[in-house]
Amino acid sequence: PILRRMAGSITAYMDEVGARPLRISTADRALLAVRDGELYAFSSLAVQITKPEERGSLLAAAAGRPGPVGRRMAKLMLGTKSPYPEDVWLDACKRAVDTGDLQRVQMMLDRTLDKVTDPSPALPGEVLRYAYLQNPSMGRELIRWAPPDQAAAAPIGLLYDAARACDLHALTNLIRKGLQPQGSAAPALRPLIARGSEWMAVELLRSVLQVRQDDYEALDACLREHASSAAEALLENGVELDGYLAWAAKQNVLLDTQAREILDRLAEQQVQVNSAPEQNGPVLGGMSL
């Protein structure tokens, strides 16, 4: 109805369109080829696109087209010589994640260094985090596959996301590859304990998680959550109990009865360990020689 009112009649409208044929650019034709899944037409058109903004739009469209044809189109866009801006590349990688095509995402992450202009070290890690939040099974596989430098440079939020999900597999892989907590380990431990997975916190502390000797915030979190095993594992990792007591007094920390009982028990255990006689020689029948 709008077109009819503009032209006066359908016949007049058709005559007007016929007199002024629609002109479509090469970039628009390439985008239509992506939507239609016309691989041959796309391959002949894509090489003609030279403007950076048009190439970026075409990369995003190809990366986000589902199926094997979309993967091949994305691969064709990676074969061009000119690099892409970081924001364009990140958007394209996210679109690839949205297709659910693990192989496509891996292919793009592999080409980040040579296809992005001055990429930041955290760029692949941003893709890992997006994948983990949108498609956890893909995210776990990407974390397992990612080179250590990519995992170590990922946003620390990825580690905390895995902790909130109680995902020991992802946590172990991330930490082993170098994504350690920044500062206190409390943000990584607290979600595990709060969700009833204290055993995971203990496993991480006794295998891969590094903690500072003065990480009193982590110890305090374990005490407040009544996680005695995790608190004990922190002490085994070198966190100083006397230092925590001084820190807690300075911070005016108030613990409930159960937390104080755990703290007292840990203090007694340390006294027993420190007072145990050293054995300087072999032992026979319970006697030091």
Side-chain angles (χ1 to χ4, degrees), residues 87-106:
D87 59 335
V88 170
W89 186 258
L90 179 59
D91 176 60
C93 287
K94 288 180 177 180
R95 290 174 184 245
V97 169
D98 293 339
T99 68
D101 187 345
L102 174 65
Q103 184 178 343
R104 187 183 317 193
V105 180
Q106 290 175 326

Side-chain angles (χ1 to χ4, degrees), residues 223-255:
L223 292 172
R224 291 179 182 277
E225 295 290 341
H226 307 148
S228 57
S229 297
E232 187 174 345
L234 279 169
L235 297 184
E236 292 172 0
N237 261 10
V239 176
E240 299 174 346
L241 187 57
D242 290 341
Y244 169 76
L245 294 173
W247 175 85
K250 187 176 181 179
Q251 299 289 328
N252 294 320
V253 170
L254 297 177
L255 300 175

Side-chain angles (χ1 to χ4, degrees), residues 4-251:
R4 183 170 183 174
R5 285 197 298 270
M6 292 172 60
S9 69
I10 294 295
T11 303
Y13 169 70
M14 296 301 296
D15 290 341
E16 180 70 11
V17 171
R20 301 175 185 274
L22 178 65
R23 294 184 179 180
I24 183 170
S25 69
T26 302
D28 288 337
R29 290 167 60 198
L31 286 173
L32 288 175
V34 173
R35 294 168 188 170
D36 294 339
E38 296 289 344
L39 183 60
Y40 178 77
F42 175 82
S43 61
S44 62
L45 292 167
V47 295
Q48 303 177 44
I49 310 300
T50 57
K51 293 181 179 179
E53 62 274 12
E54 292 179 348
R55 292 180 61 254
S57 297
L58 197 55
L59 172 67
R65 190 188 196 284
V69 171
R71 184 192 306 166
R72 294 184 65 182
M73 288 178 171
K75 189 174 182 179
L76 284 172
M77 293 304 298
L78 300 186
T80 58
K81 295 181 180 181
S82 301
Y84 297 93
E86 182 170 318
D87 59 335
V88 170
W89 186 258
L90 179 59
D91 176 60
C93 287
K94 288 180 177 180
R95 290 174 184 245
V97 169
D98 293 339
T99 68
D101 187 345
L102 174 65
Q103 184 178 343
R104 187 183 317 193
V105 180
Q106 290 175 326
M107 174 182 68
M108 295 186 69
L109 287 174
D110 268 340
R111 301 294 303 277
T112 298
L113 289 180
D114 62 306
K115 296 310 300 180
V116 181
T117 306
D118 298 324
S120 65
L123 179 57
E126 293 281 359
V127 180
L128 295 182
R129 188 180 188 192
Y130 180 82
Y132 187 78
L133 292 174
Q134 299 299 317
N135 188 334
S137 60
M138 175 190 284
R140 279 191 292 272
E141 184 60 26
L142 287 173
I143 289 169
R144 185 195 65 79
W145 163 88
D149 59 332
Q150 289 187 1
I156 193 62
L158 175 58
L159 188 69
Y160 302 150
D161 293 333
R164 284 188 288 270
C166 296
D167 191 339
L168 184 61
H169 181 274
L171 284 167
T172 302
N173 277 320
L174 286 170
I175 295 171
R176 280 179 176 163
K177 292 182 178 184
L179 188 63
Q180 291 280 347
Q182 297 173 348
S184 175
L189 299 175
R190 191 180 290 113
L192 297 173
I193 298 168
R195 288 165 172 76
S197 297
E198 181 185 357
W199 69 272
M200 290 188 185
V202 174
E203 174 68 21
L204 292 174
L205 286 167
R206 290 178 174 167
S207 58
V208 293
L209 189 59
Q210 300 174 6
V211 295
R212 304 191 318 263
Q213 288 186 335
D214 62 347
D215 193 353
Y216 307 131
E217 183 181 345
L219 182 55
D220 188 66
C222 292
L223 292 172
R224 291 179 182 277
E225 295 290 341
H226 307 148
S228 57
S229 297
E232 187 174 345
L234 279 169
L235 297 184
E236 292 172 0
N237 261 10
V239 176
E240 299 174 346
L241 187 57
D242 290 341
Y244 169 76
L245 294 173
W247 175 85
K250 187 176 181 179
Q251 299 289 328

